[in-house]
Amino acid sequence: MQKNFIKSIALAIVLACHGCIEVNSNLPQTEKSASPQQVQTLEEKYKRTCYADALTESEGRKITEKSNTLETAADKLAAAGKHKEAIRKYHEAGAAALNETIADGTVEEMENFTGDAEDFRAKNRPLIQRTAELNFKVGQSYAQLGKLESALDCFNRTLKVGILPPNDAITYLNRGDVYERMGSKEKAKADFRQAANLFKKHKLVSYQKDAEKRLQNLIKVNK
């Protein structure tokens, strides 16, 4: 089980680098032989994930700019409200990050790792955090565009991989907002409560109050 856990985390890291994924090349063998209708259904589901606008493998391999440079450019686009362009640039940053990890042998090391889960996390913590941050930022832009299912998938992946404070709390807050907009009030309340607890832990009082206010507003509405 430990080995499978490590493999799943490694896969999540590689996939979350956003470049590189062709829909059909990423399907299990049983799904590759699916009917055209089944393939279409899978592709429709894919369009509602965090990778809805991911680069193809060939596009990802052509990225030559540094991942940090591309991520900074994406941050500027997001700050300017150009979220569609920002998402594309975040995917380019992810593809560049994947290219960099392939070039330095990190991906191969991850695939052949034989230690336990904690050793794996410790050894690959910078890449894990990078993965989580990119998912988080793409999710925020999808939420701004109203693509809630894609945003939700991004935030779920962010929390699964793990993200450093205070963005862990902000992710719960953002996911709670998405749940509320989707009509999932109980899930929204749970996330706002968790966000408030984490903000308190991080001593971010104004953010804590904001999360608590959102929680109370939802409780009032449901009374």
Side-chain angles (χ1 to χ4, degrees), residues 45 139 148 200 216:
K45 288 181 179 179
L148 301 183
K200 182 179 181 179
Q216 291 305 314

Side-chain angles (χ1 to χ4, degrees), residues 7-20:
K7 280 188 175 181
S8 68
I9 293 294
L11 180 61
I13 291 167
V14 172
L15 292 184
C17 283
H18 299 295
C20 48

